Amino acid sequence: MALAQRFCPWRIKDADQKALYLRGDQLLVGDPNVDNCCAEKICILPNRGLDRTKVPIFLGIQGGSRCLACVETGEGPILQLEDVNIEDLYKGGEQATRFTFFQRSSGSAFKLEAAAWPGWFLCGPAEPQQPVQLVKESEPLARTEFYFEQSR
């Protein structure tokens, strides 16, 4: 069994228990029962090249063949999915930091901070069927807490 396959049993949900799902090239948050979607299985592998006390992780979808990356736009970072294998990142691929998130515990939930952009966090949208994005920690009403649930 491939390394990524062993680490893909996760679903990520926001504080309202809405799951991350893929539509086109974007990760959205929604209710699979209402939005006619299927919660995405997420692969999680550690970034062994960064400080392990900060719990650096890679997030992959589609069996680990695509990974969430943080890309600079000139107005701050944005999220995008890139066709890069999570196992290559795990083995020490180039530019791995922009694919890395620090997993911070917040009670039973987690916040995911972009390693390449300290103070920027993965954020679920307030409106349904909108993409997940990055926001500054200071953003009021930011929906930055997520729950990891093992999928069956």
Side-chain angles (χ1 to χ4, degrees):
M1 180 182 283
L3 180 63
Q5 296 302 324
R6 291 188 307 220
F7 292 93
C8 288
W10 300 102
R11 301 212 191 278
I12 297 179
K13 295 184 174 181
D14 70 5
D16 297 327
Q17 293 300 300
K18 293 194 164 105
L20 268 61
Y21 69 94
L22 186 64
R23 179 152 300 148
D25 271 345
Q26 295 185 312
L27 271 181
L28 308 179
V29 175
D31 183 340
N33 298 321
V34 174
D35 296 336
N36 193 26
C37 63
C38 184
E40 191 67 33
K41 286 186 179 179
I42 308 291
C43 301
I44 299 174
L45 287 176
N47 179 337
R48 300 179 298 170
L50 296 178
D51 182 356
R52 291 182 186 190
T53 62
K54 293 185 176 185
V55 193
I57 60 172
F58 301 117
L59 300 171
I61 63 166
Q62 296 178 327
S65 66
R66 301 181 79 197
C67 291
L68 202 54
C70 302
V71 179
E72 178 60 55
T73 64
E75 297 177 14
I78 61 166
L79 286 175
Q80 71 182 30
L81 287 168
E82 294 192 14
D83 293 329
V84 61
N85 192 297
I86 195 169
E87 291 185 42
D88 293 338
L89 295 174
Y90 175 75
K91 293 173 186 171
E94 291 296 312
Q95 301 176 334
T97 302
R98 67 188 189 96
F99 293 96
T100 306
F101 295 86
F102 293 128
Q103 185 178 345
R104 288 190 182 176
S105 179
S106 177
S108 61
F110 294 95
K111 291 185 176 195
L112 297 165
E113 181 179 18
W117 285 274
W120 288 81
F121 290 81
L122 198 68
C123 178
E127 300 297 320
Q129 300 183 0
Q130 293 298 310
V132 175
Q133 57 191 349
L134 286 174
V135 297
K136 285 189 175 181
E137 185 173 30
S138 59
E139 191 84 18
L141 305 174
R143 302 165 64 87
T144 57
E145 290 188 345
F146 292 92
Y147 297 86
F148 290 59
E149 177 182 282
Q150 277 198 296
S151 67
R152 300 181 211 325

